[in-house]
Amino acid sequence: MMMAGENCIPFSYVLCDQLAILAVDDDPIQREFCAVYLSTPHAEITTAGSAEEGLALLDQARYDVVLIDVDMPGMNGIEMVRRIRAEKRFDDLPVMVITGREDIISIDQAYAAGATSFMCKPVNWRLLGHQIRFLVRAHRALVAA
């Protein structure tokens, strides 16, 4: 039996590097969760309700990582990933697809379009924070090399 304070890992922010995150999801609850659970004194979260809005935001500001839902009205997330990867200026931008789909075809489509990573909903926000930190640090190391 574990005693209070024994082998406890103190709470800390996962996203402790200065980060700008763009989260694109048509579900307002998912966008709110993203803003609340990923926001830290160092991480700034911007949300978009559609792929079209997300692409417009990418033209206006620089982001360290983009989180994209697949199933959205209008342009879907896979097409958004394709459009991001079609532009040379986004070669070093980590793109994570986050979706309720977990079938082989959806996973393969996301990676074929150029996704850097894939996560299934429901989201474990703590795990997502660790994965974002890894993606960003890995991309920064590749760019520096």
Side-chain angles (χ1 to χ4, degrees):
M1 184 161 90
M2 192 181 301
M3 304 296 283
E6 185 179 306
N7 294 325
C8 289
I9 299 172
F11 172 81
S12 63
Y13 289 108
V14 173
L15 300 176
C16 51
D17 296 337
Q18 201 64 42
L19 290 177
I21 299 170
L22 175 60
V24 183
D25 197 311
D26 63 313
D27 183 344
I29 295 170
Q30 283 296 115
R31 291 194 307 271
E32 184 65 23
F33 280 167
C34 192
V36 169
Y37 289 119
L38 295 179
S39 186
T40 73
H42 307 284
E44 179 183 328
I45 315 301
T46 303
T47 62
S50 69
E52 294 85 356
E53 183 184 356
L55 289 172
L57 286 168
L58 281 170
D59 282 336
Q60 298 169 13
R62 187 182 185 314
Y63 296 94
D64 297 296
V65 65
V66 180
L67 313 175
I68 305 173
D69 181 34
V70 171
D71 294 312
M72 295 185 283
M75 183 189 312
N76 70 26
I78 300 298
E79 181 59 27
M80 182 180 179
V81 174
R82 280 191 196 102
R83 292 194 186 187
I84 289 170
R85 292 301 181 221
E87 296 195 39
K88 185 86 173 132
R89 65 188 170 125
F90 295 130
D91 281 356
D92 66 343
L93 179 65
V95 175
M96 179 183 283
V97 170
I98 302 176
T99 180
R101 296 181 181 195
E102 55 183 318
D103 58 281
I104 293 170
I105 292 171
S106 297
I107 294 167
D108 289 348
Q109 284 178 337
Y111 283 110
T116 313
S117 187
F118 189 97
M119 178 178 265
C120 295
K121 292 179 183 177
V123 174
N124 177 321
W125 296 99
R126 188 68 169 183
L127 179 59
L128 177 58
H130 282 287
Q131 289 186 344
I132 290 169
R133 183 176 65 175
F134 174 80
L135 281 175
V136 170
R137 287 183 177 176
H139 267 72
R140 287 177 178 169
L142 284 173
V143 170

